[in-house]
Amino acid sequence: MIILGIESSCDETSAAVLADGKLKSNIISSQLIHQQYGGIVPELASRAHQRLIVPVVEQALTVAQIKKEQLNAVAVTHGPGLMGALLVGMSFAKALAYGLKIPLIGINHMEAHMYSNFIDDPKPTFPFLCLIVSGGHTQLVYVRKPLHHELLGETLDDAAGEAYDKVGKMLGLGFPGGPVIDKLAKEGNPNFVKFPRSYLDPGKYDFSFSGIKTSVLYWLRDHGYRNNENIKPIPKQELADLCASFQAAVVDVLVKKTIQAARDLGVLDIAVAGGVSANSELRTRLKSVSDENGFKLFIPAFEYCTDNGAMIAQLGAMKLEHGYQSDFSLNAISNLNISTSPTR
Amino acid sequence: MNMKLITHSEMETISAGREFSLSIRCGTVVALSGDLGTGKTRFIKGICEGLGVAEHVASPTFTIVNEYQGSNLKIFHFDFYRINSAAELREIGFEEYVEGGGVCLVEWADRVKEILPAQRFDMTFSLGKDENERIITINEVKPE
């Protein structure tokens, strides 16, 4: 069974080939064009997808040494994401599957992140808990059995990655803020400022990160660095200390809520997914706390943390195996939710 | 309508939004501007509560637009934080949303002012003197 996975929901155009459960290629064209704009620009994003989709798919097939006629199915992200960006990948996938007369499989991008832990060995065993942390999402999901999910909680305001990006912007660090904050934090003191941790209701698994963001803003204002858009540069060590203190607050909340949920559910395995799972502090802390508490932690390899075609092909293969495929009326849905049971 | 409000907590900002929702009709556009963390999303949360939205209202920075169903109206919650030009908004169909009869609530509206309709509410948000104080101005703009 040979499956092509296509992903174009946000800023990455990506395609991957999965043959009999083995990943043969995973081409991700990071759109560096965004860095000069301080954010993902939707119009630029969909234009770039249009320009990149054909070469990216061609390269995925070439690297895998697969001819398109050998493909058995095409899996494609149909949400959530930016409408214009989603439509590029979807239209391409529909045309390809239709032309080759092979099944089309619509994939939920957030679900694919959860199954990115199944690309390489070792794989989590069902049921497991999954923490998804990215620029657009922060969710805790109980994965009961393959393709059966229960959303336990999510962010009530900003996603963790969004807080990183916004704080990065406040600190004058550019976009994306996450990797820069993570790097600077290594040189800083996490106890420099005690930013608030909002755990909300202990019985619930929701998150809130806008309070941490606001506290950073207050701190900058009170120390004369920022007042309603008048900005003064921050000295290097202080900047590193601020990054470390902010990161400690975000990671504390993510780790504590995740471990709490895993205990309450009685699962043995915890999986992490999404762009923020590339964050070194989050990885280190989750690993040590999981070890202390007897949980097995699964974090995908770095190239499967950010948006990628491999996870789309992976979930496509699982859906096909369980008998699920889409028809050609498949729609792009910008706010698609995680499904409780398999969908077409 | 032309007014200035001062709120002293997130809850007060949400209540102010709930109260403001009484001025909203089908087709109303509200343009909210102000720095990070000054209460724009909270105020919109209040408006949505007032309009009977049951879904959870979160920042649409990633998706650019969230849709909610109120008791009588459809609400489109935009965030222009990552938008740089009117052309980008046309690409995602902003004008169709505005003319579609729903309510448009736009965060970071000052980034692309030229695309906003002549009839709208302009709001600004800024930090006050005290820790949780927020200064909110509301200004009804009418076509000449």
Side-chain angles (χ1 to χ4, degrees):
Chain A
M1 191 62 73
I2 304 175
I3 296 184
L4 174 70
I6 295 177
E7 154 66 30
S8 72
S9 64
C10 194
D11 59 340
E12 307 281 10
T13 316
S14 179
V17 174
L18 188 77
D20 300 323
K22 294 267 175 299
L23 187 67
K24 298 289 181 188
S25 64
N26 182 37
I27 308 298
I28 304 171
S29 88
S30 287
Q31 298 173 331
L32 293 172
I33 193 167
H34 292 136
Q35 286 185 352
Q36 38 187 309
Y37 290 95
I40 296 158
V41 183
E43 198 233 7
L44 289 183
S46 45
R47 278 209 191 151
H49 285 305
Q50 285 169 28
R51 192 161 45 76
L52 292 166
I53 185 92
V54 174
V56 164
V57 169
E58 270 178 350
Q59 203 182 337
L61 291 170
T62 308
V63 172
Q65 296 185 299
I66 294 287
K67 289 193 172 51
K68 63 179 185 297
E69 291 75 18
Q70 292 172 268
L71 294 173
N72 298 106
V74 180
V76 64
T77 307
H78 76 118
L82 303 171
M83 202 42 136
L86 286 169
L87 285 171
V88 175
M90 272 228 343
S91 311
F92 183 89
K94 277 187 184 178
L96 186 65
Y98 188 78
L100 294 170
K101 298 187 174 62
I102 55 176
L104 172 76
I105 308 159
I107 298 293
N108 178 319
H109 177 86
M110 300 316 295
E111 293 175 13
H113 269 304
M114 298 194 279
Y115 291 97
S116 60
N117 285 289
F118 287 79
I119 298 170
D120 286 339
D121 286 323
K123 300 172 170 62
T125 41
F126 295 93
F128 64 91
L129 173 72
C130 187
L131 169 70
I132 310 174
V133 265
S134 69
H137 296 85
T138 306
Q139 298 177 320
L140 273 170
V141 182
Y142 178 48
V143 187
R144 199 181 302 277
K145 55 183 186 177
L147 311 180
H148 288 73
H149 321 114
E150 186 188 327
L151 180 64
L152 301 170
E154 61 188 326
T155 183
L156 300 179
D157 37 57
D158 292 352
E162 184 177 355
Y164 267 95
D165 285 340
K166 287 184 172 172
V167 166
K169 193 151 182 171
M170 280 180 204
L171 299 175
L173 301 175
F175 180 88
V180 187
I181 291 177
D182 192 18
K183 192 169 160 228
L184 287 171
K186 290 193 170 79
E187 315 289 318
N189 170 12
N191 300 314
F192 178 65
V193 191
K194 181 89 180 164
F195 289 122
R197 277 78 169 149
S198 64
Y199 293 109
L200 303 170
D201 187 340
K204 290 198 178 143
Y205 307 109
D206 290 328
F207 298 94
S208 166
F209 293 105
S210 87
I212 300 177
K213 174 190 77 182
T214 311
S215 304
V216 175
L217 183 70
Y218 286 151
W219 193 93
L220 293 173
R221 178 194 63 179
D222 296 345
H223 292 78
Y225 292 118
R226 187 183 181 103
N227 199 347
N228 290 325
E229 296 187 36
N230 296 318
I231 299 157
K232 209 173 90 182
I234 306 162
K236 207 175 155 212
Q237 188 54 49
E238 216 160 304
L239 186 62
D241 292 341
L242 280 172
C243 287
S245 302
F246 163 75
Q247 175 148 291
V250 174
V251 169
D252 269 0
V253 174
L254 289 172
V255 170
K256 281 198 185 149
K257 279 271 172 193
T258 304
I259 297 295
Q260 185 61 48
R263 275 203 200 112
D264 295 350
L265 291 165
V267 295
L268 300 174
D269 291 359
I270 298 173
V272 190
V276 181
S277 57
N279 180 280
S280 65
E281 178 69 12
L282 181 64
R283 283 178 173 241
T284 313
R285 286 276 304 287
L286 266 176
K287 179 81 181 93
S288 66
V289 178
S290 296
D291 287 351
E292 279 165 31
N293 288 276
F295 296 113
K296 233 166 124 186
L297 183 71
F298 297 82
I299 305 181
F302 185 78
E303 63 265 40
Y304 312 134
C305 286
T306 51
D307 296 350
N308 65 86
M311 66 184 193
I312 306 301
Q314 174 64 43
L315 179 52
M318 290 171 87
K319 285 185 86 167
L320 198 62
E321 194 184 309
H322 287 83
Y324 293 94
Q325 63 179 72
S326 310
D327 61 42
F328 285 92
S329 63
L330 183 72
N331 268 330
I333 304 172
S334 69
N335 58 352
L336 187 64
N337 290 324
I338 284 185
S339 63
T340 47
S341 56
T343 50
R344 279 169 200 279
Chain B
M1 186 192 291
N2 219 328
M3 59 195 282
K4 182 174 167 183
L5 302 170
I6 294 177
T7 63
H8 303 89
S9 66
E10 284 188 14
M11 285 318 289
E12 274 188 43
T13 304
I14 295 175
S15 312
R18 214 180 294 130
E19 209 162 299
F20 176 76
S21 73
L22 297 171
S23 320
I24 288 181
R25 304 280 174 271
C26 166
T28 299
V29 174
V30 187
L32 300 88
S33 309
D35 200 5
L36 293 155
T38 50
K40 301 180 294 297
T41 310
R42 298 287 147 177
F43 192 87
I44 287 180
K45 210 180 173 72
I47 295 181
C48 290
E49 281 181 22
L51 296 176
V53 173
E55 300 149 79
H56 115 195
V57 173
S59 168
T61 309
F62 173 74
T63 46
I64 312 293
V65 54
N66 286 348
E67 288 184 33
Y68 317 115
Q69 184 61 54
S71 34
N72 299 310
L73 295 166
K74 220 177 169 82
I75 295 113
F76 302 106
H77 178 188
F78 282 89
D79 189 334
F80 287 2
Y81 185 72
R82 302 193 285 139
I83 304 267
N84 289 289
S85 74
E88 289 163 19
L89 284 168
R90 288 199 186 95
E91 174 122 333
I92 59 167
F94 179 74
E95 285 148 322
E96 284 137 54
Y97 284 101
V98 169
E99 285 153 18
V103 175
C104 290
L105 310 174
V106 185
E107 297 196 44
W108 293 92
D110 52 334
R111 292 183 60 85
V112 197
K113 267 215 133 109
E114 64 272 24
I115 202 163
L116 300 171
Q119 169 126 31
R120 61 177 192 266
F121 289 100
D122 275 346
M123 304 191 54
T124 65
F125 291 75
S126 52
L127 299 181
K129 278 195 269 336
D130 297 329
E131 171 112 336
N132 291 311
E133 197 171 293
R134 294 291 184 276
I135 303 162
I136 304 170
T137 67
I138 307 177
N139 185 17
E140 190 170 3
V141 186
K142 288 186 175 156
E144 286 163 22

